[in-house]
Amino acid sequence: CICTIIAIKMAWSLRVTVLVAAVVRATGSSASSIHSAPKLLLPGLPWPQALQGHDDENWPMSLTNSDGGPTPGLLARYDALAPMQPGIRRYNMFWSSFENKVPSAVGPLECPAGTTLLPATEPERKAFGYHRFHCYSSSQTALFDTLFELDRQLGAQNAAIIYGTPDFYRHPNCTGFKFGPDTIKSGCAPVDEHMDDFEDYVRFLVQRWSLASLKHMIVWNEVASAGWMDMSPFIPNRAGPSGSFTLTDAQFDVWVTKYAELVQRVSNAVASSGLADGVMVWTSNDRLWERPIQREGDPLHTGVKPFQDRLWPMLAKFGNVTFGTAVHPYDSGNPFDDTEFAPGHHPQAYTFATLSHVVDYLTQQVKDVLGLDPADPRAQPYQLLFASEQGWPYPACCVNKIRGRNICYAQALSAALPRVVGVTHNFFHDNAHGSEQGGQDYGLIPGNVSGNLSNGVGHPTFDAYTSTAPRNWDLTDGHYCCTNWRMGCKTKNGTGTLDPLMQDSQTRITVHGWAWDERSARGGGAPVQVRISFTGIAVPSRTVFANITRQDLVDAGVAPNPAHGFLESFDVAPPGVTGPYSVSVVWVWNTTTTELASSPRCGDSSGPCDCPPL
C-alpha cells in the first residue's frame, strides 16, 4: 500500500516537486534533531516535537500566491515561527471546501474549471480504493501542499479537522443552528447513501499528505452538541420546554451510531492506505462533561460523558478502530480554575486543571470496554488526549497580558499530564480585519502584528508562545513565562509571605500567610506544606497545607490559583504571653525548607511588634 500511495502522489502532482524545491530552506531545527530517540504514539508515529502547537490558518492562507505557492511574506512568517518549534499545526480541512462544485459519480466525469478529477481513471479507482469519482478543488489542494511542506520543514506534524458536509451530501431539511450572525449547517451529518463519499474524501487527504506530515485526523467537531453534529431531520436537535432532553433512547443511539460510523470510515481510509500505524484518529469533545442546563430551543446537548458512554462500546464492536480523545478545555479566564469539576458541583465541565478526570475515565473505559490492562502498549492510544481547541476571547475574557499568562498556565498544566499529546489554542493569530467568532477576537497574537510576524516580539502572547518551545521551557530562566509568571523555569522554586500576626488575647495567636511552589503537582497548582514554629513561648510547632483560598494571590500574579493560603490559630497555655516571642514559617519541599518572606514575626504581652534587630 505504501508503494501505491507513493505512485499516486507522483502521478497527481509534479507541481508538488516544483513547490518543494521552491520552499525548502534551512529552519535551524528538524524533527530528526529533536527526536534522537522518539517516544511513539503509534508504532509508526513519534510524539510531536513539542507540546505546544498552533491553530494557524487565516494569515497563512492569505499569504499564498494565486496558484497556492508561497509568497515572500509567507516564507518570512515561517522563519519567525521556527524558533517556536511547534509540535502540531492544526487546520480546518472542511470537506465542503474541497468538494463543492458537483457531486460524485460512478464513472469518470467532466470536472468544472478549478477542480481536478480524482481518481483519474477506473484502474486508479480500483488501485487506490475509491468508491466513486470526485472533483476536488485544485486551489485548496495547492494551498495545503504549500502549508504542509512548510510545516514539515519546521518539524511539525499536522492535524486536520474532518468536518463540513457539502450541500449535496446532506439532507436538504437539516436545520443547522444560529452562531452569532451566521446559520451554520457545516455540522449536518452526511446522509447514509453518501458515507462512501465521506470515506473517499478522507482517503484523498491521507493518500496525498499523510506520508509526509498529516498525522492527526480529528473526526467532526464537538459531537455531543446537536449544533456542531446535526442529525436533523431524522431526530430532534433542540432542547424542549425548560431545556428538557428531547431524545428517546433509540434516537440517542441513532446520533451516536452515525458518529461511530464516521470514526470507522476515517479509520478505514487510513488503514486501507497502509497507514494504520502512522496516523492518529481523534474523537472531538467539548468541555461539558455532564449535560448542561439549557433553555427551550437551544441546540440539544447530551453531555460529553453520556455520549462517550455509548460511543466506546460501538467503536469496540468494530474491532479495527484505534482512537484518542480530542478535548476543548475552555475556561472562565484562568486555566487553573478547577471549580466546575469540584465535588458536588453540577453540571460538571472540565478545564486544563481537571483533565486528569478525563484521563481517569479513559483508563476505566480501556479496562471495562476493551478488556485491556491500561499498562498494555495496545491500550496507550486510547488513553491519549489532544487539547485541540480552547482560547480566551477579547474583550469578553481578558486583555493580552492575561491571555499571555494563560498560554503559560495551560502549558504548565498540560506538561504535568503525560497523556496530553498536543495543545492548539483557538486561534494563534488574530485576523487582520477583526473578530473571528460572534464579535469576539479569539486570535491570541493581536491583529496589529504583521503577517510576517516581524513585530511580534514584545507582545505577551507572542512571547508566551516562544516560551513554550522545547529550547526554552524548563531549560532557561530568561523566557517570558518564567520571568513574568514563574512557569517553565529551569530554576524552579517557590515563594510566599508570612503576613502580620494576629494576637486575639494573651492566650491566642493567629498566624497566616501564603506559600506556593512551582515544583508542586498539577503544574504548580497543588498546595505545599508550611511549618510554623515559635520561640520564647511554649507552643508546639505545626505543619499544615497552605490550601486556603486567597484570590488576591491570583489577582497579584504571584500564584496561578487561589488555594495557597494558610491561617492557623494557636492557644498559649496559662499564664499566656508574658514576654517577647517570635514566629517563623518555612515551606517544606521534600527534605528542604525555605523561610517565607517577612518571617520571623514577633510579639509580646501587648501584642504583635517589630522584631529586634539581629
Side-chain angles (χ1 to χ4, degrees):
C1 293
I2 297 295
C3 294
T4 299
I5 298 170
I6 293 172
I8 196 169
K9 287 175 73 71
M10 293 176 65
W12 285 342
S13 275
L14 179 59
R15 70 161 301 283
V16 175
T17 305
V18 177
L19 167 70
V20 171
V23 301
V24 168
R25 65 200 195 287
T27 61
S29 66
S30 69
S32 59
S33 64
I34 294 167
H35 288 295
S36 57
K39 297 189 300 180
L40 297 178
L41 298 178
L42 295 169
L45 178 60
W47 278 68
Q49 67 177 353
L51 182 59
Q52 184 68 256
H54 302 151
D55 169 11
D56 182 27
E57 58 188 69
N58 298 317
W59 274 99
M61 288 180 177
S62 69
L63 292 172
T64 54
N65 58 35
S66 58
D67 68 356
T71 62
L74 183 63
L75 297 180
R77 182 181 184 86
Y78 272 82
D79 283 335
L81 290 173
M84 295 183 182
Q85 298 174 282
I88 298 175
R89 301 259 297 166
R90 175 178 67 74
Y91 297 90
N92 291 324
M93 300 194 74
F94 290 175
W95 186 8
S96 55
S97 68
F98 281 86
E99 189 172 14
N100 50 41
K101 295 293 181 66
V102 294
S104 63
V106 296
L109 65 161
E110 190 72 28
C111 284
T115 64
T116 301
L117 179 64
L118 188 71
T121 64
E122 177 63 16
E124 279 193 3
R125 186 193 69 78
K126 292 180 179 178
F128 305 134
Y130 283 83
H131 297 283
R132 297 167 68 86
F133 291 85
H134 304 265
C135 296
Y136 290 134
S137 168
S138 303
S139 61
Q140 279 292 104
T141 303
L143 170 70
F144 281 103
D145 282 342
T146 296
L147 298 182
F148 284 176
E149 172 55 28
L150 291 170
D151 289 340
R152 186 194 64 78
Q153 293 174 42
L154 292 179
Q157 298 174 3
N158 288 119
I161 297 178
I162 311 299
Y163 189 66
T165 309
D167 293 349
F168 37 72
Y169 292 150
R170 65 189 185 215
H171 196 285
N173 294 330
C174 181
T175 64
F177 78 111
K178 290 288 289 182
F179 186 67
D182 304 315
T183 297
I184 302 230
K185 294 190 176 183
S186 299
C188 295
V191 294
D192 289 348
E193 56 265 34
H194 289 299
M195 290 294 282
D196 283 349
D197 296 299
F198 174 74
E199 185 176 325
D200 279 354
Y201 167 62
V202 179
R203 181 171 285 104
F204 160 61
L205 301 182
V206 170
Q207 293 185 356
R208 189 169 188 92
W209 291 298
S210 288
L211 269 179
S213 64
L214 182 55
K215 304 298 185 181
H216 303 272
M217 300 290 187
I218 303 171
V219 185
W220 230 245
N221 181 59
E222 298 191 348
V223 296
S225 162
W228 299 111
M229 176 148 182
D230 194 341
M231 289 294 295
S232 67
F234 303 104
I235 61 174
N237 66 351
R238 293 292 186 270
S242 301
S244 59
F245 195 66
T246 49
L247 299 182
T248 65
D249 199 60
Q251 289 171 329
F252 196 173
D253 271 350
V254 167
W255 183 349
V256 181
T257 298
K258 171 61 78 170
Y259 184 63
E261 291 172 350
L262 290 171
V263 175
Q264 184 194 32
R265 291 293 190 131
V266 173
S267 296
N268 287 347
V270 169
S272 64
S273 300
L275 290 169
D277 287 341
V279 175
M280 273 293 295
V281 176
W282 302 90
T283 64
S284 178
N285 306 273
D286 63 60
R287 64 184 296 265
L288 303 176
W289 192 242
E290 296 179 329
R291 184 167 184 261
I293 297 169
Q294 296 198 276
R295 298 170 299 180
E296 183 174 6
D298 285 348
L300 189 65
H301 199 293
T302 70
V304 167
K305 183 181 182 298
F307 196 99
Q308 289 281 325
D309 286 344
R310 292 173 183 251
L311 178 64
W312 273 75
M314 291 183 186
L315 293 178
K317 286 180 181 178
F318 292 138
N320 62 343
V321 179
T322 302
F323 61 95
T325 301
V327 291
H328 296 174
Y330 285 91
D331 55 66
S332 60
N334 184 345
F336 274 90
D337 182 2
D338 61 1
T339 56
E340 292 176 283
F341 226 114
H345 184 282
H346 298 285
Q348 291 179 329
Y350 60 77
T351 63
F352 275 103
T354 51
L355 282 178
S356 59
H357 293 287
V358 182
V359 170
D360 291 344
Y361 172 83
L362 299 179
T363 299
Q364 195 63 46
Q365 294 297 91
V366 163
K367 295 177 184 176
D368 296 346
V369 179
L370 302 184
L372 291 174
D373 183 334
D376 188 322
R378 294 173 298 169
Q380 175 186 266
Y382 301 98
Q383 300 173 80
L384 297 176
L385 296 180
F386 175 13
S388 61
E389 180 192 323
Q390 56 283 319
W392 305 277
Y394 175 83
C397 166
C398 33
V399 298
N400 284 333
K401 175 184 176 181
I402 298 303
R403 300 206 294 171
R405 179 202 72 177
N406 290 352
I407 293 171
C408 304
Y409 284 3
Q411 173 80 3
L413 286 162
S414 300
L417 196 61
R419 300 282 175 77
V420 177
V421 169
V423 176
T424 52
H425 297 307
N426 182 23
F427 296 99
F428 176 70
H429 188 181
D430 194 20
N431 285 342
H433 54 75
S435 66
E436 294 89 1
Q437 293 182 9
Q440 297 293 318
D441 287 342
Y442 275 83
L444 292 170
I445 295 173
N448 59 358
V449 172
S450 62
N452 63 16
L453 300 175
S454 60
N455 59 330
V457 174
H459 290 272
T461 47
F462 184 95
D463 293 343
Y465 270 113
T466 303
S467 280
T468 65
R471 66 189 180 88
N472 291 322
W473 193 265
D474 285 343
L475 293 182
T476 70
D477 290 331
H479 60 83
Y480 171 86
C481 290
C482 179
T483 58
N484 288 272
W485 306 105
R486 292 302 307 170
M487 292 286 161
C489 301
K490 177 182 179 181
T491 307
K492 298 182 185 298
N493 53 39
T495 185
T497 298
L498 173 58
D499 293 331
L501 302 176
M502 295 184 291
Q503 187 170 316
D504 305 331
S505 67
Q506 289 185 325
T507 60
R508 174 167 286 243
I509 300 168
T510 298
V511 181
H512 66 117
W514 62 275
W516 172 77
D517 199 305
E518 183 186 357
R519 297 166 293 185
S520 66
R522 302 198 300 275
V528 297
Q529 288 185 312
V530 294
R531 183 180 303 146
I532 305 168
S533 303
F534 288 77
T535 58
I537 51 176
V539 175
S541 64
R542 187 181 299 174
T543 300
V544 299
F545 278 102
N547 58 5
I548 293 175
T549 297
R550 288 274 304 266
Q551 182 59 40
D552 61 309
L553 304 180
V554 179
D555 296 341
V558 296
N561 57 326
H564 298 287
F566 62 90
L567 187 152
E568 292 289 316
S569 293
F570 296 81
D571 292 324
V572 183
V577 178
T578 59
Y581 68 90
S582 66
V583 181
S584 64
V585 181
V586 298
W587 82 82
V588 182
W589 182 256
N590 292 333
T591 59
T592 64
T593 60
T594 306
E595 193 156 18
L596 300 189
S598 301
S599 174
R601 288 190 180 271
C602 298
D604 57 26
S605 58
S606 63
C609 60
D610 293 336
C611 292
L614 295 177

